[in-house]
Amino acid sequence: MPIDNSNMLKVIEDFPQQCKTALELAKGMSVSGKIDKIVVAGMGGSAVGGDLLKAYIHNSNIPVFVVRDYKVPNFVDENTLVFAVSYSGNTEETISAYESAINKKAKSVAVTSGGKLGEMAKRAIKIPSGLQPRAALGYLFFPVLGVLVNSGVIDVKGKEIEEMLDVLSKTDEFKGVGERIAKKIGARTPLIYASELLSATAYRWKTQFNENSKTAAFHHAFPEMNHNEIVGYQRINKSDFIAIFIRDKDDNERIIKRMDITKEIISSRVDVEEVFTKGEYLLSRIFSGIYYGDFASYYLALANKIDPTPVAVIENLKKRLK
Ligand code: F6R
């Protein structure tokens, strides 16, 4: 009996191509007028692109806020560009947040494969349907980036994109690391850590373990975990948990030191696995970090004899809420 009934493996393997296609989707779409804040409203697999955007443009003067709720905050106004991102276009929180943004006269762009949001949006980027939202991260992220570039809000250099596509194209390397980590995890609960800058990447690992592998997983960031979570290690066991550190070439020296010392401290209580992001540019490093985790969650699903694609409990919950 095949476990991967919907061929999630192929979808993950095709991710570099998905990013390439996605880069074209915002062509010709720009938003004019003053923009001094960016809001990304979405849930689950559709929201994480907002966290990644926030990390990617952390040096910009324009703040990014990610809203995973029914309403955008009060500060949203006509100078705010709100992206309402919902793969299905039918997520009630995102639709409601979008409506609240329109009421506040925000500038808006919807990113969706259709649904109600597709129908009601004044301006929308239509993305290909037929995937699980979490497997469509390229389609959900790059159109947002494209609109911001086209609108003169941010600048993304061609060489950043080229490097990212090149790094991701070495799929076998990511697969190999993902498979190795999945084997290491086994029946244990993964605890995933990265610097604050890459905490969204760690969060994506967590949610992919949840949804693909159907397993509990948690994430936290350095340095904050040194001020609380580390104490909890006093009472956990190697048989129950495993720590995964996502390391990055630009982790600052104090973070590197903290990670090294933390590893020493917690090694008596858990195994610690490390993954290094790839590339010179932040865009490559964010997405390479994610790509390892996507494969790790896939292989963990197979090891658990679980089909990685369906998320019945999410669907059932949504039905019960109707
Ligand atoms: C399922 C997934 C979920 C959805 C979330 C919101 O693959 O990743 O987290 O993304 O339930 O649904 P959409 O993305 O359709 O707005």
Side-chain angles (χ1 to χ4, degrees), residues 221-237:
F222 282 91
E224 177 66 13
M225 78 79 81
N226 281 168
H227 300 273
N228 35 60
E229 185 151 318
I230 192 171
V231 188
Y233 275 84
Q234 220 161 297
R235 292 184 59 244
I236 70 172
N237 290 314

Side-chain angles (χ1 to χ4, degrees), residues 43-46 85-89 91 132-134 211 311 314 318:
M43 300 304 300
S46 292
V85 185
S86 169
Y87 187 73
S88 63
T91 298
Q132 275 292 330
R134 64 188 183 281
E211 293 180 71
V311 279
I314 299 180
K318 285 182 183 177

Side-chain angles (χ1 to χ4, degrees), residues 304-315:
N304 294 339
K305 301 204 172 10
I306 279 168
D307 187 341
T309 302
V311 279
V313 67
I314 299 180
E315 305 305 333

Side-chain angles (χ1 to χ4, degrees), residues 247-248 251-261:
R247 298 224 186 201
D248 183 58
D251 284 337
N252 86 36
E253 59 180 71
R254 300 303 297 166
I255 295 294
I256 295 173
K257 192 154 194 184
R258 283 177 181 278
M259 285 181 164
D260 289 344
I261 298 174

Side-chain angles (χ1 to χ4, degrees), residues 57-188:
I57 64 168
H58 68 281
N59 277 331
S60 151
N61 292 331
I62 301 186
V64 178
F65 302 89
V66 183
V67 175
R68 290 174 163 93
D69 208 343
Y70 288 85
K71 271 189 182 155
V72 295
N74 265 341
F75 63 68
V76 167
D77 58 16
E78 66 278 9
N79 299 329
T80 312
L81 174 52
V82 176
F83 291 95
V85 185
S86 169
Y87 187 73
S88 63
N90 290 323
T91 298
E92 62 174 36
E93 299 93 317
T94 314
I95 291 170
S96 164
Y98 173 76
E99 286 169 336
S100 74
I102 296 299
N103 287 340
K104 291 177 179 301
K105 313 224 172 330
K107 299 174 172 70
S108 69
V109 177
V111 178
T112 181
S113 71
K116 263 196 213 152
L117 184 64
E119 279 165 27
M120 66 200 281
K122 295 184 181 169
R123 185 163 33 206
I125 296 181
K126 177 103 172 44
I127 59 179
S129 58
L131 295 173
Q132 275 292 330
R134 64 188 183 281
L137 182 61
Y139 292 140
L140 295 163
F141 175 82
F142 287 101
V144 171
L145 203 68
V147 169
L148 291 173
V149 171
N150 297 344
S151 311
V153 179
I154 60 167
D155 183 30
V156 181
K157 305 255 181 308
K159 54 191 179 186
E160 294 177 65
I161 302 286
E162 274 163 35
E163 186 195 66
M164 181 202 71
L165 293 174
D166 182 54
V167 163
L168 295 182
S169 72
K170 297 178 178 99
T171 316
D172 284 346
E173 234 174 283
F174 293 96
K175 252 182 170 172
V177 171
E179 200 167 0
R180 179 178 61 75
I181 290 186
K183 266 200 194 117
K184 267 272 180 177
I185 294 171
R188 297 182 280 190

